[in-house]
Amino acid sequence: MLRTLYQYIAPQTLAWLIVALPLAGATINGFYSLVASRFHKHASHSFTSLIGCGLPVLSFVISLLIFVTLIGFSAGQDPTMITGPLFQWVVTGNLTIDLGLKFDQLSLVMVLIVTGVGSLIHIYSMGYMGHDEGYARYFSYLNLFLFFMLLLVLGDSLVLLFVGWEGVGLCSYLLIGFWFEDPTKAAAGKKAFIVNRIGDAGFLLGMFFIYATLSSHNLPPTEHQYNFFNFEVIKHHSAYLMPVATPICLLLFLGACGKSAQIPLYVWLPDAMAGPTPVSALIHAATMVTAGIYMIARLNFLYVLSPTAMQVVAWIGAITAIFAATIGLTQTDIKKVLAYSTISQLGYMFLALGVGAFSAAIFHLMTHAFFKALLFLGAGSVIHAMGGEQDIRNFGGLKEKMPITAWTFVIGAAAISGIFPFAGFFSKDAILWHTFHGGHISLWLIGFVGAGLTAFYMFRLVGMTFFGQPQMGRGEWQKVHESPPSMGFVLLFLGVLSVIGGWVGIPEAFGGGDHFHHWLSGVFGKMVVHEGMEEGHAAEIILTVVSLLWSLHFAILASVIYAQRREWPTKMAEKFQFLYKLIFNKYWIDELYDFIIVRPLVTLSEKVFWGVIDAKVIDQYGVHGAGRLMIFWNRCVTAVQTGVVQQYLLFFVIGVVLILWGFVF
Amino acid sequence: MLIEWLQSHLLSLMVFLPTAGALFILLLPKNEAASIKATALGFTLFTLLTNIWAWWFFHGLADFELQETLTWIPAFNIYYRLGVDGVSFLLITLTNFLMPLVVLSSWREIRTKLKEYMFLMLILQTGMVGTFAALDLFLFYVFWEVMLIPMYFLIGVWGSGRKIMAAFKFILYTMIGSVLMLVAILYGYFKGGQSFNFVDWLTIPFGLKEQLWLFLAFGLAFAIKVPLFPFHTWLPDAHTEAPTAGSVILAGVLLKMGTYGFYRFAMPFFPEAVRYFSPYILTLAVVGIVYGSLVAMVQKDVKRLVAYSSVAHLGFVILGLFALNQKGVEGAVLQMINHGLSTGALFLLVGMIYERRHTRQISAYGGIAAKVPVYAFFFIFVTLSSIGLPGLNNFVGEFLVLLGAFETKGIFGIVAVLGVVLSAIYMLWMVERVFFGKLEHEENKKLQDLGLREVLILVPLCLAMIGIGVYPKPIMNKMHSSTEAFLKLTMRTDAKASAQLLTPSHQYMKNDARIIKN
């Protein structure tokens, strides 16, 4: 069947459709929404949904086709494909930038996650956003996001990756501030964009560094000679980058810290929860925030050149993981808890990257996309049912009213806590094991403690939301209802993925084939993870069981406390008041940034630059000063012209005397 | 026959079609507003069509194309000499592209002295196109001055607020610069065999000291125009108080006169001086980027904010030019065009809302996106272009400038990257305060969204932004050989070498001048 299809359209051409379809959707719905709002008409929901959901689904189907085609290659051949350049973007001097797409094992995984989870969330949004005024605008933004995200993961050069990188940032800005009439939401969108821009500045400098280094060598002339940003070219010449690998990798990592919300640039992500919940699920959990992980995985050949940079990545990841987890313990907004857990999980992925376990990072990225999307959509379902309420102290006992949401949420929580046999168990275990096995005992310990905290705060959330006694009024309790089938279906689907999603990577120690790792070894090479694995099986099993018990114990503890003994934690908080306040207020990091960066900068600009340098120094003393000098000179000259002859005579005599003085001496 | 004659005088056509329009307007009765507007629009469109026609005949070779030479004042060796290379051709195209839009934007804004207004606009266009096309320094100076007078009146008569002060500051600043330039031109004229010919100047053997002084004289005139920090304080006043059309032209075209001046004259004429001064100028450019952005951030008037953002954007252009490599220079040229499109569009947008509400204070707005969605769409679109979102025009230029500067001027490129962060801060903060939040002011609840005329003004600009962002190659192809030639001239180490660097058409121009003289 595929064969017949490819008689009409080459797979390389078909591949462009994956990217182009969401763009078409964004354009159509965007134009439609704009025209409708200009003439104060309501955009038709069915048309919008057809375009807005149909095209992403189609894009997913095409991705599947390409996937099937590529794995159908004969044995021993890598499932990779590069489309020819669509066109040359920039050609100048010794620089060429072509636009092409690159399909390999890594980008295939990413494309399937993005289009698959993306399509599911589009479908879910039909129900969730059904009553919203800006329905068409919403789908336009969401489609645009898919377009840029696909460009990011499929682009064959660093520049194209950056185009997608900034583009998803834009969509994130637009969607966080989707309900822009609320000033805090609009401000959250702006904050996200600006904090990301700080990271992007680092990213840009990293790119420039790569370029400047490669172009300073006389590389052998080939057809790609000046394509310095192309991944293949960078990889091929990565030996030249050896001496400067550390600064390059750290600069690029700064970009990753922005996009993937790591210390010190994580502050935008909790605020980003102001956006509609499906957006939080898609952009701020499953896909966009993982772009940093993808980027480092894509440039793995560069990062392995710099052990220093790898160390930094691992440590930042581990510290972020445990730091965000502690904040997650105290938050009372259901989405904020999930936001901090996202930051923490992303930290785990960076930890994996930093210790060289690239495939484990991507594995966790994939399972995280499943279960975190599930958790967010479950939270969305609860918020939807509760009429916009997000404070978990006002929930409780919801499993009676919304069983599908409740039980899929429990699955998600079990998956993120790393409980057997759910998806997160295998991926988190892979990270911890590789950290331990690589000899990074202190990093492993941080990750291990963090895993316990994760289980605790997740089951705190589960207990307070779905179990125990309802904490809301009787009238509200009556109104609570299960969400419509379009949303329930998505929850169930993601629930299934959160269970079985990890089975593709069952490690060999447990008799599995570790297929996921083998699949990615085409990109990451085999060297990093596999030495001495066989002897380690016993140790791996012991460690896994320990960490399973550890997480399980916290999960049970939390659900018991928060479902049945709610007063305990309150007492604890009173006892350790300072610590509680510190954590509850998120360590006052936002306030700190405001105090040491934002306010001084504004004051400096307004009071010193504008008020003094522009107005006083340049204008008053400079420009007008020159004017006044003229006037002063003018006055001096006028003062002399008195019309009194005696005075003129005096001047004359003085002049003569001076001249004579000059002659004589 | 006629067609052929026109084809060989395309540049003159573009220069003087607007003058013809201006004279035609003089013949119209004062109260015939409709026909005055129609005439002005017609002639600007006609010039644009000529420009499109010229696009096919301009090939982007290293030398000057579409040349025309006529004797003007033979006693002083002054010629009417026009010709364009890739850069000046693109800037002329930008000018002619903006003019019809600007005339359209004045449709309702200008209610008094419409006839005089349109007359001056068209004269201004002649001045601008002429300045870009002139290859004789005397002719260049004439057009340069022709351009200043109408702008002075545009600000002083049709401006708002403290318009007289703004107009005066504008003319004072620019005059100081141009007087020094005139002195420098005359010095070179007498030093180098009494010629105003651009090509002759390339071979005048200036000593180092002479180069330094002459570069300073030329450079000051251009630096004020750019404006380079700290010569920028005329700009916020002039931009803010000028009528919309005036601001658009000021930002879109007049500021480019400064950077173009560096590109065409100051840098290739005085290569030693460029080497000597380049660290200082790069410093000023980078300071301008950071300083302009920070001051823009705290502005309370939208138009003033956009004006200060120009200081930052033009800093990028200077940074690119003085990076002295092809990426930087081409990025700089691209940024000249991009700034014309994006900042021009921003001024147009501010003008549209000013027409409705008669205030530009940020605090007078808030939450208007809900009321005027189409306006908000265009404004945010242009904002994104201005802050260099990939896929839109500014990204390409900024990327090349920064890459070029990083490659050869290291630290300057690194500091300039800060501008990327700062531009997002000041623009998005302003957008947030104007468009988002609750609609609180009573007056804003009655705001009308954009009409067809206004959409027609903005759509071509936005299409151009997408076009350059997605596929800049057709534009860049026009300038490759010109920037290469520029770099060779600017980086030459002795005057003798320049004789060999002259391209065949340069030579042709020289000979041609001799032929006419004889």
Side-chain angles (χ1 to χ4, degrees):
Chain A
M1 201 193 81
L2 273 175
R3 218 169 272 272
T4 358
L5 178 70
Y6 290 140
Q7 278 174 353
Y8 296 100
I9 182 166
Q12 283 89 343
T13 317
L14 199 62
W16 282 105
L17 275 183
I18 298 176
V19 184
L21 288 174
L23 180 63
T27 318
I28 295 169
N29 270 332
F31 190 68
Y32 184 43
S33 135
L34 206 59
V35 172
S37 65
R38 174 67 180 89
F39 298 105
H40 309 291
K41 297 258 175 10
H42 279 284
S44 147
H45 277 206
S46 44
F47 175 77
T48 305
S49 318
L50 183 71
I51 300 287
C53 295
L55 293 179
V57 170
L58 204 58
S59 184
F60 174 62
V61 171
I62 297 174
S63 312
L64 269 182
L65 282 181
I66 301 272
F67 178 70
V68 171
T69 310
L70 291 184
I71 57 173
F73 282 1
S74 53
Q77 231 177 327
D78 268 341
T80 56
M81 174 174 89
I82 293 171
T83 67
L86 190 60
F87 53 82
Q88 289 193 313
W89 192 41
V90 170
V91 183
T92 165
N94 52 349
L95 170 68
T96 310
I97 304 173
D98 293 338
L99 297 190
L101 302 184
K102 177 192 177 85
F103 288 81
D104 64 358
Q105 294 91 330
L106 177 59
S107 56
L108 277 172
V109 171
M110 294 300 292
V111 165
L112 288 175
I113 294 171
V114 172
T115 54
V117 177
S119 298
L120 284 173
I121 291 173
H122 275 72
I123 294 166
Y124 176 94
S125 298
M126 282 165 36
Y128 192 84
M129 298 297 286
H131 310 295
D132 202 275
E133 289 271 308
Y135 192 70
R137 185 163 60 94
Y138 173 82
F139 273 98
S140 162
Y141 291 168
L142 215 55
N143 278 196
L144 190 65
F145 166 76
L146 271 193
F147 162 71
F148 279 122
M149 191 68 206
L150 289 166
L151 213 55
L152 194 161
V153 297
L154 285 175
D156 70 344
S157 72
L158 211 46
V159 173
L160 211 49
L161 192 156
F162 187 73
V163 171
W165 184 275
E166 286 268 289
V168 291
L170 162 71
C171 299
S172 161
Y173 164 73
L174 293 171
L175 282 163
I176 295 169
F178 183 74
W179 291 304
F180 55 79
E181 290 179 17
D182 180 345
T184 54
K185 294 189 163 128
K190 180 199 61 181
K191 180 174 172 185
F193 197 96
I194 290 170
V195 174
N196 267 296
R197 265 284 164 118
I198 297 173
D200 294 351
F203 195 121
L204 273 177
L205 287 174
M207 281 164 78
F208 295 163
F209 224 131
I210 293 178
Y211 175 83
T213 314
L214 287 183
S215 69
S216 67
H217 291 93
N218 263 331
L219 303 182
T222 60
E223 57 173 320
H224 298 303
Q225 194 184 0
Y226 296 134
N227 249 317
F228 290 120
F229 290 116
N230 190 295
F231 291 127
E232 288 303 313
V233 176
I234 301 175
K235 186 172 183 178
H236 193 252
H237 300 297
S238 55
Y240 291 112
L241 296 170
M242 188 82 154
V244 285
T246 302
I248 289 176
C249 290
L250 289 179
L251 284 167
L252 291 171
F253 180 57
L254 185 64
C257 282
K259 189 81 23 196
S260 298
Q262 298 296 293
I263 292 172
L265 297 179
Y266 72 93
V267 286
W268 64 273
L269 187 61
D271 291 24
M273 295 300 120
T277 308
V279 170
S280 313
L282 177 60
I283 300 186
H284 305 120
T287 52
M288 183 190 83
V289 289
T290 61
I293 287 108
Y294 167 77
M295 186 265 290
I296 292 182
R298 172 57 78 204
L299 296 175
N300 63 80
F301 50 87
L302 213 59
Y303 274 83
V304 293
L305 296 180
S306 166
T308 322
M310 292 285 270
Q311 284 275 320
V312 173
V313 172
W315 276 100
I316 294 274
I319 293 169
T320 308
I322 195 158
F323 174 81
T326 57
I327 299 178
L329 289 174
T330 56
Q331 295 302 302
T332 53
D333 181 319
I334 185 167
K335 289 182 74 180
K336 287 268 161 84
V337 177
L338 292 176
Y340 281 104
S341 98
T342 304
I343 297 175
S344 164
Q345 296 301 307
L346 292 167
Y348 277 102
M349 296 177 213
F350 279 108
L351 171 62
L353 294 171
V355 298
F358 296 108
S359 63
I362 298 298
F363 188 25
H364 196 55
L365 188 160
M366 180 180 79
T367 59
H368 178 256
F370 298 150
F371 59 67
K372 191 49 73 63
L374 170 64
L375 287 169
F376 264 114
L377 295 183
S381 177
V382 170
I383 295 166
H384 197 65
M386 297 288 301
E389 178 62 58
Q390 300 196 5
D391 194 328
I392 49 176
R393 286 169 298 191
N394 300 331
F395 296 161
L398 289 179
K399 74 172 189 315
E400 308 293 323
K401 290 277 193 171
M402 19 190 359
I404 299 179
T405 307
W407 292 112
T408 49
F409 200 92
V410 172
I411 292 175
I416 194 175
S417 308
I419 289 168
F420 183 82
F422 299 100
F425 168 76
F426 297 101
S427 55
K428 182 176 282 182
D429 189 58
I431 294 175
L432 289 178
W433 165 242
H434 284 303
T435 311
F436 187 82
H437 186 73
H440 311 281
I441 304 300
S442 36
L443 286 172
W444 171 82
L445 196 64
I446 296 174
F448 182 73
V449 174
L453 292 178
T454 309
F456 190 84
Y457 69 69
M458 279 316 297
F459 277 89
R460 164 178 175 266
L461 194 59
V462 170
M464 285 180 82
T465 309
F466 296 105
F467 293 88
Q469 291 302 311
Q471 305 289 314
M472 72 279 301
R474 181 165 283 276
E476 284 161 343
W477 175 250
Q478 295 293 335
K479 274 186 255 163
V480 177
H481 56 90
E482 182 61 280
S483 298
S486 69
M487 291 161 69
F489 153 76
V490 173
L491 291 177
L492 286 173
F493 201 100
L494 283 169
V496 172
L497 284 176
S498 301
V499 179
I500 63 170
W503 299 355
V504 295
I506 300 178
E508 280 156 8
F510 290 81
D514 210 357
H515 296 295
F516 196 80
H517 170 73
H518 288 302
W519 163 256
L520 284 174
S521 63
V523 180
F524 301 133
K526 297 190 167 53
M527 72 294 177
V528 191
V529 220
H530 252 255
E531 283 163 38
M533 276 292 159
E534 277 72 30
E535 309 92 82
H537 279 174
E540 190 176 352
I541 292 171
I542 294 168
L543 217 61
T544 308
V545 172
V546 169
S547 73
L548 172 62
L549 290 176
W550 170 254
S551 298
L552 203 58
H553 147 254
F554 275 109
I556 293 168
L557 191 68
S559 32
V560 170
I561 293 175
Y562 284 96
Q564 291 165 12
R565 296 275 182 276
R566 287 189 177 219
E567 65 283 358
W568 286 7
T570 329
K571 281 183 195 150
M572 283 284 282
E574 275 163 17
K575 212 164 184 180
F576 300 98
Q577 221 173 23
F578 174 74
L579 195 66
Y580 178 76
K581 266 196 183 151
L582 178 72
I583 299 178
F584 183 76
N585 290 307
K586 301 163 275 186
Y587 301 91
W588 285 292
I589 297 288
D590 272 314
E591 287 78 5
L592 187 74
Y593 284 178
D594 190 53
F595 187 72
I596 61 169
I597 300 171
V598 181
R599 269 187 231 184
L601 207 60
V602 172
T603 316
L604 179 78
S605 309
E606 190 168 356
K607 300 281 182 309
V608 180
F609 287 166
W610 190 30
V612 176
I613 298 190
D614 249 42
K616 292 270 166 17
V617 178
I618 300 177
D619 258 12
Q620 206 168 323
Y621 302 126
V623 181
H624 293 221
R628 266 196 301 276
L629 199 68
M630 283 299 169
I631 294 172
F632 175 72
W633 177 240
N634 168 29
R635 286 219 184 98
C636 295
V637 179
T638 355
V640 185
Q641 323 280 321
T642 50
V644 182
V645 182
Q646 286 94 326
Q647 232 175 55
Y648 289 172
L649 214 61
L650 180 67
F651 290 143
F652 174 72
V653 171
I654 293 173
V656 169
V657 169
L658 281 179
I659 291 169
L660 284 175
W661 187 276
F663 275 126
V664 175
F665 299 97
Chain B
M1 273 308 276
L2 179 68
I3 300 285
E4 272 169 31
W5 186 84
L6 288 176
Q7 264 180 27
S8 55
H9 294 81
L10 279 170
L11 278 181
S12 293
L13 217 55
M14 284 192 270
V15 174
F16 291 111
L17 259 177
T19 317
L23 295 177
F24 193 81
I25 282 178
L26 282 187
L27 301 177
L28 292 172
K30 228 178 180 36
N31 45 10
E32 287 277 341
S35 39
I36 292 174
K37 288 180 198 168
T39 312
L41 184 64
F43 272 90
T44 50
L45 281 175
F46 216 46
T47 318
L48 178 61
L49 279 179
T50 319
N51 202 141
I52 295 169
W53 188 16
W55 187 273
W56 305 113
F57 291 96
F58 182 83
H59 305 291
L61 305 168
D63 34 23
F64 294 101
E65 297 180 37
L66 310 173
Q67 286 191 30
E68 293 169 45
T69 313
L70 283 175
T71 327
W72 185 14
I73 311 174
F76 297 107
N77 213 354
I78 293 172
Y79 290 83
Y80 171 79
R81 194 192 312 276
L82 300 183
V84 284
D85 70 349
V87 175
S88 47
F89 183 72
L90 287 172
L91 288 170
I92 287 175
T93 309
L94 172 72
T95 312
N96 290 335
F97 176 73
L98 285 176
M99 280 310 289
L101 304 176
V102 157
V103 169
L104 257 183
S105 82
S106 319
W107 226 239
R108 279 206 221 123
E109 191 192 343
I110 303 303
R111 292 172 192 281
T112 53
K113 304 200 184 83
L114 181 75
K115 187 173 161 181
E116 290 83 346
Y117 176 85
M118 289 300 180
F119 172 79
L120 287 172
M121 288 292 268
L122 290 169
I123 295 294
L124 185 60
Q125 189 175 8
T126 291
M128 295 187 295
V129 177
T131 311
F132 287 131
L135 285 182
D136 183 282
L137 271 95
F138 187 81
L139 187 67
F140 167 79
Y141 190 77
V142 169
F143 278 126
W144 176 274
E145 296 294 318
V146 163
M147 183 179 74
L148 296 183
I149 314 296
M151 187 44 87
Y152 172 72
F153 284 114
L154 281 180
I155 299 173
V157 178
W158 291 274
S160 60
R162 302 161 65 198
K163 55 187 180 184
I164 304 292
M165 185 275 295
F168 195 67
K169 210 163 163 183
F170 166 76
I171 207 81
L172 205 70
Y173 251 112
T174 356
M175 275 310 204
I176 291 171
S178 29
V179 164
L180 284 175
M181 181 168 74
L182 183 62
V183 173
I185 290 178
L186 291 177
Y187 183 88
Y189 172 76
F190 289 112
K191 164 97 188 179
Q194 310 208 339
S195 166
F196 288 114
N197 188 344
F198 167 78
V199 177
D200 288 341
W201 273 62
L202 291 173
T203 46
I204 301 175
F206 291 120
L208 177 63
K209 218 162 197 176
E210 278 173 317
Q211 285 207 20
L212 295 184
W213 282 108
L214 290 174
F215 182 86
L216 276 184
F218 271 98
L220 187 68
F222 299 141
I224 286 172
K225 261 261 132 49
V226 170
L228 203 57
F229 178 89
F231 309 109
H232 65 276
T233 57
W234 64 272
L235 177 128
D237 287 320
H239 272 64
T240 311
E241 310 305 358
T244 303
S247 316
V248 175
I249 294 177
L250 259 177
V253 186
L254 259 61
L255 302 191
K256 300 345 176 284
M257 297 296 173
T259 47
Y260 170 75
F262 275 110
Y263 166 85
R264 170 67 73 237
F265 303 109
M267 294 173 74
F269 284 168
F270 314 115
E272 303 270 335
V274 170
R275 267 189 290 284
Y276 182 84
F277 283 119
S278 104
Y280 307 106
I281 291 182
L282 285 167
T283 308
L284 291 182
V286 171
V287 167
I289 292 173
V290 176
Y291 181 91
S293 305
L294 285 175
V295 178
M297 181 174 76
V298 293
Q299 294 306 308
K300 289 155 181 62
D301 179 311
V302 187
K303 219 172 167 185
R304 206 169 268 273
L305 186 151
V306 179
Y308 271 106
S309 83
S310 290
V311 178
H313 282 288
L314 270 294
F316 276 107
V317 178
I318 293 292
L319 181 68
L321 280 181
F322 281 82
L324 291 181
N325 57 35
Q326 208 175 356
K327 289 172 288 292
V329 175
E330 295 198 353
V333 176
L334 215 51
Q335 271 318 83
M336 292 190 214
I337 297 162
N338 291 336
H339 177 259
L341 296 174
S342 305
T343 307
L346 278 176
F347 278 126
L348 285 168
L349 282 159
V350 175
M352 287 171 189
I353 201 82
Y354 183 74
E355 241 177 79
R356 289 166 168 73
R357 281 276 278 107
H358 301 287
T359 174
R360 292 181 297 248
Q361 293 299 310
I362 294 174
S363 55
Y365 297 98
I368 65 169
K371 202 68 208 161
V372 284
V374 179
Y375 179 75
F377 167 78
F378 278 110
F379 202 105
I380 293 172
F381 185 93
V382 176
T383 298
L384 294 172
S385 147
S386 175
I387 65 179
L389 190 83
L392 297 176
N393 53 346
N394 269 285
F395 174 70
V396 189
E398 262 175 27
F399 185 81
L400 290 175
V401 166
L402 290 172
L403 185 61
F406 183 86
E407 198 184 5
T408 45
K409 308 285 173 201
I411 185 72
F412 294 106
I414 294 173
V415 180
V417 170
L418 274 182
V420 174
V421 180
L422 293 173
S423 71
I425 294 179
Y426 64 75
M427 286 308 285
L428 291 185
W429 193 26
M430 183 262 284
V431 164
E432 182 195 340
R433 285 176 292 164
V434 171
F435 291 94
F436 301 149
K438 280 252 175 308
L439 194 63
E440 270 166 357
H441 295 270
E442 257 329 293
E443 301 92 322
N444 292 336
K445 292 186 179 150
K446 294 191 288 282
L447 274 181
Q448 280 285 321
D449 210 344
L450 298 186
L452 185 65
R453 174 182 61 92
E454 292 163 319
V455 171
L456 278 182
I457 296 174
L458 295 169
V459 165
L461 286 164
C462 292
L463 288 180
M465 290 173 203
I466 298 175
I468 296 180
V470 175
Y471 195 47
K473 219 180 145 195
I475 290 188
M476 297 189 63
N477 277 348
K478 295 255 183 232
M479 62 168 110
H480 286 322
S481 25
S482 307
T483 50
E484 263 170 40
F486 162 78
L487 282 171
K488 271 187 203 152
L489 285 170
T490 307
M491 292 166 83
R492 70 184 191 265
T493 38
D494 65 322
K496 270 182 231 141
S498 61
Q500 281 124 41
L501 288 170
L502 298 180
T503 50
S505 162
H506 281 132
Q507 299 286 3
Y508 154 75
M509 201 163 73
K510 261 182 107 136
N511 299 335
D512 166 71
R514 295 285 136 68
I515 292 162
I516 295 170
K517 204 157 83 180
N518 300 333

